[in-house]
Every structure is written in structure tokens, then in C-alpha cells.
Amino acid sequence: MKRFFTILFSLAALVSVCVFVSCNADSDPTSGNATQENDGAGSNSGDGSGTEANGRIILHAQYPYIYVWESGSQFDNEQSKMNEEGNGWYRFEIESPSAMVIFKPNADNWNGQTDDLHATAGEWWYKDGSLYAYKPNSSSSSGGNSGENSESSGNNSSSGNENSEPWTSDIYLEIMMFSNDATNFNNGTFVKFDSNSAENFKKQLKELYKMNTFSTTALNYAVHKALVNLSEKESDLPDNLKSLNIITFTDGLDNASNLLSTTDTLENQIFNTPDRNYGAWIKEQIDTRTVANQKLNCYSVGVLGDVPDEILFQNTLKNITSSDKEPHISQDFDDIATTFSEIANSLVVEHHRYDFNLKIPADATSVRMVFDGVTEPLYSNLYFDGNISHSELEYKFSFINGFGIELTDKEVVGQIEYDEKSNKPTGNIIYKLNNIQFVNIADTTKILDLLSNKDKCKQFTKTDNSTKWNRNTEYDVGKNYDHETEHFSTVIYLILDATRSLSDNIDKVRSAAIDFIDELSEKAKATASLQN
């Protein structure tokens, strides 16, 4: 929103309070967009060396002016000129652990200003609508600039990533922490996952994810806030989005969401009466709401701990889990890392397409393709059946049924196969079956083996003159399939409990979340190498 420099300071502050939810100082919550300003007198040279902020805000941006309010510092409701650092970058410091700021290209008007930004203690770089704990460079698709890689390299010195090859992915991630309220690390922006942002997420987990002094748990409210953010950000999500995931961890029962729904209402939904069940409503939303035409994949991870009612805890987690999944519940915090790893490896970031070229003798009227190597087709547990009909020179395959296999194409017109040398018919008809589905098998290597291994892929046919399946011993698997890998975008929302009940176990949760980032990085790098 536009703010005029000389008026409406108090109104601007009031609006900011409404838009940005502040958390208890002991919990040190932040939006991760923490941009911070400086009066130019700071000691940091601005070379990306990661100077300790020591409770103040250090901001870098490619804007020469900054407007600050709600900082509790001398810059409240004041525009200041930032210090020039070179290469188009400017720097500013604010002696405050929290501030609202706007960056401006001009001193005299608001044309080209940034959105309102919430900054917390630390050093931050602003680029393309987001704040980063590292200096964005050309290898970071989410915040790349003119490519001053040499200047930014020192900024990641603690990450151990200097000698790694930069990589990017089609994964987008945001992290939320909750206790009596819910706070996004990056102000609800889904950051493209790459070699730089992966390190930034780990840095945020180390610096921002801290235990709140409040013991109340607003679990349903946090998930609801995630749903709202996804819906509001729908137009910003990538066009090729095919997988949308919410992963929530908690160690307690919800005891704050109903009240919070009356004071910070989301989507006009209030749950302060006995006839309204917040959890049941969340469950319905998870199973019915779509974002960017995609259904939600919701996972829950819980540690029973001191929860007295295990059944209630399980039902609470089921309400935040997709109906086709089960909550992950354990007795020990040490199990969280394994669970997070399993979820990371199960997330779909690419689609494999298998087109099958079904070649059968022209006189066959029925066909059964088996892929488990049985010698008696009636005993197969992985097959599909089809009927063949033809009139004059048109042959048609019709899918009947399958076990462990589904065919996208239910009817296909065949093409007569001709010998390349003599250009005469070979006696076979070829039916191209697009996107054959192996229902319970996800491993690409295994599927390709089933399609190409002559000891597993076998053909049996019947003719008008036969009642039993006869194996086509001349069938050659050859090049009977085409394999394509489709890469698409995946959105992941990681929601972490930060209530006081975690106590020292919050370190284990943080460690598990960092491991989750590393697992996701390996998955992303593997996918990136396949694309290249």
C-alpha cells in the first residue's frame, strides 16, 4: 500500500499491526524475511561476510532509501538514505530486534517501493520480494541478481557448501513454527529450493526455531493458516505444479485454536461453540480443498510423550492428515529424524511415463501380457487382458482388465507392421498404449526391468480356433516400450510445533528438520542431474 512520507504515520503502524502477527520475544519468531536497516554507521563493510548482528538488524538491498516504522529505534516513522556498498547494493542498520521496513528507489515519492517487510535481528539481503540470510547470487533461482558470486561466496562459509556445485530444483518450500500462534519463516513465500536457499533454510532453523515460553498449542489454527496462505498464494505458484504437500509435527493436543479463531479469525471461521469442531473442519478442508487444481497431500508426525490420551492424540493427528495416509506416531523424539527422512524420500518430484508398444499376431482375438514371468498365465499377479476386433484392414485393441496394471488407453486402433527391407506385412499388428500404469510399483528401475526382461515380460494369445492361452514364443521384448521422465514443481509446507512442552527435545526436532532439508537436497540434486 502506498504511504505518503509526511502523513499517516500512526495509521501505517496500525495497519502493520493488523497485517503482521508479532510473537512473544522469548520465542524469537520471525518471518524469515527479516530485512533490517542501518543508519550507515555500522561496522560491517557489507561484503557478505556474515557479521554478527548482536541483537540488531542489518539490511542489504538494491534500493538507496529505506522507510522504517515499528522498530522502537530512532528511525521510527522516518525515511533514511542507505549506505552505498558498491555493485548496486546499499546497507542499513537498525538498533532493534524487530522492525517494519519498506525499501524505496526514490526519496521524493513512493513509485517502485517494495511491499511491507518484517525484519528481525540478524543480517539480511533483500531480492525479488524476499529476505535472505545470504546474499542472493545467480545460482539462486529464487533470488538471483546480476551474478556477483565472488562477493556472496563468503556469506555461506559456515554452510560447508563452498566446494559444492550449485544446483537448482523445481521444489518450493516454506517453514512455519507454532505455539499459541503461527509464524512463517519467509512471510508465507514459497522459496525455490536450490543450493543457496537450502543453506538458508538450515540457518533459519538454527536461528529462528526456538521454544516459545507459552505452553498452549494452536495446532488446528496453524494448519488452517497454512491452508489460507496456500490459497492466497495460488496465483504465485508455478504453472507446472503437480504435488502440494503439508507436513506437520506436534507433541501435544490442541488447546488454543478455538480461542484464537475468535481473536484472529481466518476465512470467517469461528469455533467457539460446542457445535463447531475445528479439527473436523480442517479434516474436511484437507480432503476437499484444491489449490492450483491440485489436491493436498498432508502428512502428520507426532511424538506421544506426556499426552495422557493416546486415542485422542491419534484422532487429532488424523484430522490434519490426508485420508489416504496414516499419522506417524512414536513414543520417542529420536524417531523423528527417521520419519522425516521417509517422508522426504516419498515426496514425488517427477513423473515417469511408460508407453508400451503391444505387438501381436494379426490372427489373435485375445491377448494377455504378463510381467511376472509365470509360465501359466492364469497364475499371473501382474498382467493385463485385451480383446482384438477387426473389419477389413482396421484392427482394434480393447482393454478388458488388469491386475496390478492399468491402461490409460482403453481402446487403440492398431497399425500393420511392415518389414523394413521387403516392405511387406510381417503378420503382426502394433498397438501403441500410452502411459501404462504399474499400480503398486514406483521404482523406475524395477518397472524398466519388467518391461524389457524377456524372462518376465511374456505374451499369451487366443484365436477364434483356440480356447486356451498359448504363449507366443516368437515374441521379442525388443523395444516394446518408451520411457519419458516428466519433471514438475512440488510445493512443501513444513509446520513445526514450538511449544514449551518440547523442552530440550526441541533440539532433536530442529536436527530432524535440518536432516529433512539435507534429504530433500539430495533428492533435488539427483533430479537436477537427470534433467541435465
Side-chain angles (χ1 to χ4, degrees):
M1 55 185 168
K2 300 286 187 182
R3 287 183 176 80
F4 297 94
F5 179 50
T6 57
I7 60 175
L8 299 180
F9 291 145
S10 59
L11 178 59
L14 178 60
V15 172
S16 302
V17 170
C18 297
V19 175
F20 296 89
V21 182
S22 298
C23 293
N24 183 284
D26 291 331
S27 67
D28 193 26
T30 173
S31 66
N33 294 355
T35 332
Q36 308 174 346
E37 60 178 337
N38 191 315
D39 60 1
S43 59
N44 191 334
S45 63
D47 63 356
S49 59
T51 299
E52 291 295 329
N54 293 327
R56 69 185 187 278
I57 300 170
I58 303 174
L59 299 175
H60 305 269
Q62 293 178 307
Y63 291 80
Y65 297 95
I66 187 171
Y67 179 80
V68 183
W69 78 101
E70 282 188 24
S71 67
S73 74
Q74 68 185 79
F75 302 109
D76 267 359
N77 301 327
E78 181 178 309
Q79 175 174 279
S80 300
K81 183 173 176 57
M82 297 180 68
N83 280 354
E84 189 171 356
E85 299 182 291
N87 293 313
W89 285 91
Y90 297 83
R91 169 192 169 87
F92 198 79
E93 290 187 15
I94 305 173
E95 294 293 337
S96 175
S98 178
M100 301 300 301
V101 302
I102 294 174
F103 294 113
K104 299 178 60 190
N106 306 298
D108 301 327
N109 59 64
W110 293 87
N111 295 333
Q113 70 176 67
T114 67
D115 291 336
D116 302 345
L117 299 165
H118 179 201
T120 57
E123 185 168 14
W124 307 92
W125 282 258
Y126 174 81
K127 185 69 176 177
D128 296 337
S130 297
L131 291 170
Y132 298 90
Y134 57 89
K135 187 176 184 179
N137 57 46
S138 60
S139 67
S140 172
S141 300
S142 59
N145 58 24
S146 58
E148 305 134 88
N149 294 347
S150 61
E151 288 196 34
S152 63
S153 60
N155 185 42
N156 285 328
S157 60
S158 63
S159 68
N161 197 42
E162 310 95 318
N163 298 322
S164 299
E165 287 295 325
W167 52 268
T168 187
S169 75
D170 291 322
I171 300 172
Y172 295 78
L173 177 65
E174 172 62 307
I175 301 178
M176 174 192 290
M177 55 184 280
F178 71 93
S179 53
N180 62 313
D181 197 358
T183 305
N184 290 302
F185 280 12
N186 297 287
N187 203 33
T189 298
F190 293 95
V191 180
K192 190 162 187 175
F193 200 62
D194 58 27
S195 50
N196 279 333
S197 62
E199 297 303 324
N200 186 41
F201 277 116
K202 291 194 288 185
K203 181 177 181 180
Q204 288 179 326
L205 284 164
K206 293 173 184 177
E207 296 181 355
L208 308 181
Y209 180 53
K210 298 179 181 179
M211 186 178 64
N212 200 315
T213 56
F214 292 100
S215 60
T216 52
T217 303
L219 174 61
N220 291 323
Y221 184 85
V223 176
H224 189 182
K225 192 170 182 178
L227 295 176
V228 170
N229 187 50
L230 283 167
S231 296
E232 290 180 347
K233 294 289 196 305
E234 184 174 33
S235 61
D236 297 329
L237 298 177
D239 294 335
N240 65 337
L241 177 66
K242 290 285 184 68
S243 180
L244 207 162
N245 310 273
I246 300 176
I247 306 164
T248 307
F249 163 76
T250 187
D251 75 329
L253 299 172
D254 192 311
N255 56 16
S257 291
N258 288 353
L259 176 60
L260 198 54
S261 75
T262 66
T263 58
D264 293 282
T265 306
L266 301 172
E267 299 181 313
N268 298 316
Q269 298 294 329
I270 298 177
F271 299 89
N272 63 341
T273 58
D275 61 324
R276 299 219 67 197
N277 186 307
Y278 210 162
W281 186 86
I282 290 292
K283 176 63 173 174
E284 179 185 13
Q285 293 299 304
I286 286 174
D287 288 339
T288 60
R289 184 179 297 211
T290 60
V291 177
N293 297 318
Q294 301 301 315
K295 293 180 63 178
L296 302 173
N297 299 310
C298 295
Y299 305 80
S300 63
V301 181
V303 175
L304 194 57
D306 296 329
V307 176
D309 192 333
E310 184 172 353
I311 300 299
L312 180 59
F313 187 58
Q314 184 175 35
N315 290 334
T316 297
L317 292 184
K318 282 186 175 181
N319 285 335
I320 60 172
T321 309
S322 298
S323 292
D324 61 342
K325 299 173 176 58
E326 289 294 327
H328 297 76
I329 302 177
S330 65
Q331 302 282 344
D332 197 322
F333 280 88
D334 292 330
D335 296 334
I336 302 174
T338 300
T339 302
F340 275 13
S341 175
E342 291 172 353
I343 294 176
N345 285 305
S346 71
L347 295 175
V348 179
V349 297
E350 60 188 16
H351 172 71
H352 295 273
R353 176 189 173 106
Y354 310 95
D355 296 337
F356 189 74
N357 300 313
L358 177 63
K359 182 167 66 174
I360 60 176
D363 63 345
T365 55
S366 298
V367 61
R368 169 170 287 196
M369 290 298 309
V370 305
F371 298 89
D372 51 4
V374 297
T375 55
E376 172 50 61
L378 294 178
Y379 296 152
S380 175
N381 289 314
L382 192 63
Y383 70 88
F384 69 81
D385 286 343
N387 281 337
I388 308 297
S389 61
H390 61 89
S391 58
E392 297 182 355
L393 295 179
E394 181 178 271
Y395 293 80
K396 182 183 292 184
F397 165 86
S398 299
F399 174 66
I400 300 176
N401 57 45
F403 194 90
I405 294 178
E406 283 291 333
L407 299 187
T408 303
D409 299 328
K410 306 303 181 184
E411 287 191 348
V412 177
V413 174
Q415 301 293 324
I416 298 174
E417 182 185 49
Y418 289 88
D419 183 271
E420 293 181 357
K421 294 182 179 180
S422 66
N423 201 31
K424 293 182 179 180
T426 63
N428 293 318
I429 309 296
I430 299 176
Y431 304 88
K432 187 174 180 61
L433 306 177
N434 294 308
N435 202 17
I436 180 174
Q437 305 288 327
F438 287 81
V439 179
N440 298 313
I441 304 174
D443 189 324
T444 299
T445 302
K446 183 174 182 179
I447 292 176
L448 293 179
D449 180 57
L450 295 175
L451 291 171
S452 61
N453 190 327
K454 64 181 181 180
D455 293 326
K456 296 177 181 177
C457 182
K458 299 178 181 180
Q459 183 180 106
F460 297 85
T461 62
K462 292 180 182 179
T463 66
D464 287 336
N465 299 321
S466 62
T467 58
K468 297 177 59 178
W469 289 113
N470 297 297
R471 183 179 176 186
N472 179 8
T473 56
E474 296 183 357
Y475 177 75
D476 181 10
V477 293
K479 293 184 177 180
N480 63 355
Y481 68 92
D482 294 312
H483 171 226
E484 294 182 358
T485 303
E486 176 191 6
H487 297 277
F488 52 79
S489 293
T490 300
V491 168
I492 302 170
Y493 220 139
L494 181 61
I495 305 176
L496 302 174
D497 193 332
T499 50
R500 191 171 63 188
S501 60
L502 289 172
S503 188
D504 292 340
N505 289 312
I506 194 168
D507 293 332
K508 295 181 179 179
V509 180
R510 182 186 299 105
S511 177
I514 291 174
D515 288 347
F516 175 82
I517 299 297
D518 287 335
E519 291 275 359
L520 209 58
S521 297
E522 292 303 314
K523 193 178 185 74
K525 283 188 284 186
T527 303
S529 65
L530 289 175
Q531 287 179 286
N532 295 332

